[in-house]
Amino acid sequence: MAFNERTLMTIGTEKYEKIINSHIVLVGAGGVGGAALECFARFGIKKITIIDFDIIDETNLNRQIISNVENIGDYKVEVAKKRALSINPNCEITTYNMFIQKENLNIISKLSPDFVVDAIDSVKSKLDLIEYCRENDIKIISSMGTGNRFSIDGFVIDTVENTAGNGCGLSRVIRQELRKRGINGHISLFNKYPPQSKSVNSSNGRHAPGSTVFAPNLAGIMIAQYVCEQLSK
């Protein structure tokens, strides 16, 4: 039995071929991005580009699916590529060890993606990436905050305007700034409910929210399912 046979039994050959012959650009290979990549690889996507600048850190072990004690200190893009190819060796994977910012966003157009997954934390980079994709008619979905949550209840995919009142600081800033830029209806994954905890810890000189294995991985799975569903249409 081929590795994709059960997937074919679920959705049929026509839809499956549309999806796997697409090119997905994944920006951010951490908790959410790593889980999305896992789904894309197991689904059978033939072409994926991974963009990230970070390295695996010990604090990633509690949630990021690509991390383990043996790859601490390695670049996330290379670890992610190795993992995806160990699942789906026929996938064409390109990596860019770079921090996405306004000055290098032209790489997105050069890659000609069918869909961009925004799984990055930097507010400015996130806003610039969303605006660039909107201006260049590139399909994109963004992940909002998944930190400070133990429960997975309440995650949805909807327009960013509907994050109002959910207590997520990232959602609030992105919603407000996109409105200033005249961007409406941006599709995002977010949680309807406020975070359970607002405590923060210092991590590698940066302030980071609390996290568990549950929320980011569910978010990545939901995003991957949404992207595949859209590509099948």
Side-chain angles (χ1 to χ4, degrees):
M1 179 180 287
F3 93 100
N4 60 356
E5 189 167 331
R6 296 197 180 195
T7 307
L8 285 165
M9 289 166 63
T10 305
I11 66 169
T13 302
E14 185 178 353
K15 280 188 176 182
Y16 183 74
E17 290 296 325
K18 283 183 181 180
I19 298 167
I20 67 168
N21 287 304
S22 302
H23 178 200
I24 296 171
V25 171
L26 176 65
V27 188
V32 176
L37 175 65
E38 183 92 359
C39 292
F40 293 140
R42 293 188 185 280
F43 195 89
I45 300 295
K46 292 183 178 180
K47 187 173 183 180
I48 303 171
T49 297
I50 309 168
I51 303 174
D52 199 305
F53 76 102
D54 209 356
I55 61 172
I56 300 290
D57 182 83
E58 188 175 5
T59 61
N60 300 150
L61 295 175
N62 80 318
R63 67 196 184 283
Q64 296 189 11
I65 198 167
I66 67 169
S67 67
N68 60 57
V69 294
E70 295 179 355
N71 57 34
I72 292 173
D74 294 343
Y75 287 113
K76 286 184 179 179
V77 288
E78 295 307 319
V79 172
K81 178 179 180 178
K82 182 179 179 180
R83 182 176 178 90
L85 289 176
S86 72
I87 298 165
N88 179 8
N90 295 318
C91 184
E92 177 188 337
I93 299 181
T94 304
T95 62
Y96 290 88
N97 184 39
M98 63 189 291
F99 181 79
I100 278 291
Q101 53 192 331
K102 197 165 190 175
E103 292 73 20
N104 57 23
L105 276 171
N106 62 326
I107 187 68
I108 302 297
S109 289
K110 290 178 181 178
L111 291 168
S112 299
D114 294 293
F115 227 106
V116 171
V117 173
D118 159 29
I120 52 181
D121 297 327
S122 167
V123 170
K124 189 176 187 309
S125 295
K126 207 173 193 72
L127 287 166
D128 289 340
L129 176 61
I130 294 168
E131 184 174 37
Y132 183 87
C133 287
R134 179 62 68 94
E135 289 175 348
N136 290 275
D137 199 25
I138 299 170
K139 295 177 181 177
I140 180 173
I141 181 172
S142 295
S143 174
M144 297 298 132
T146 61
N148 291 328
R149 297 182 185 278
F150 181 79
S151 173
I152 60 173
D153 292 343
F155 279 101
V156 296
I157 292 175
D158 202 344
T159 59
V160 73
E161 288 83 1
N162 288 320
T163 63
N166 75 341
C168 170
L170 179 60
S171 298
R172 182 180 65 255
V173 173
I174 297 299
R175 183 178 70 248
Q176 293 172 349
E177 292 300 316
L178 286 181
R179 186 186 306 126
K180 292 177 184 177
R181 299 185 188 203
I183 297 174
N184 300 306
H186 177 61
I187 298 297
S188 303
L189 175 135
F190 57 90
N191 199 292
K192 298 184 293 183
Y193 306 126
Q196 288 91 339
S197 168
K198 294 185 181 300
S199 63
V200 296
N201 298 310
S202 181
S203 173
N204 295 330
R206 299 179 298 177
H207 286 290
S211 62
T212 66
V213 66
F214 311 118
N217 284 282
L218 174 70
I221 292 169
M222 288 180 65
I223 285 173
Q225 190 273 332
Y226 176 86
V227 170
C228 289
E229 183 177 50
Q230 295 302 307
L231 291 171
S232 73
K233 295 180 179 179

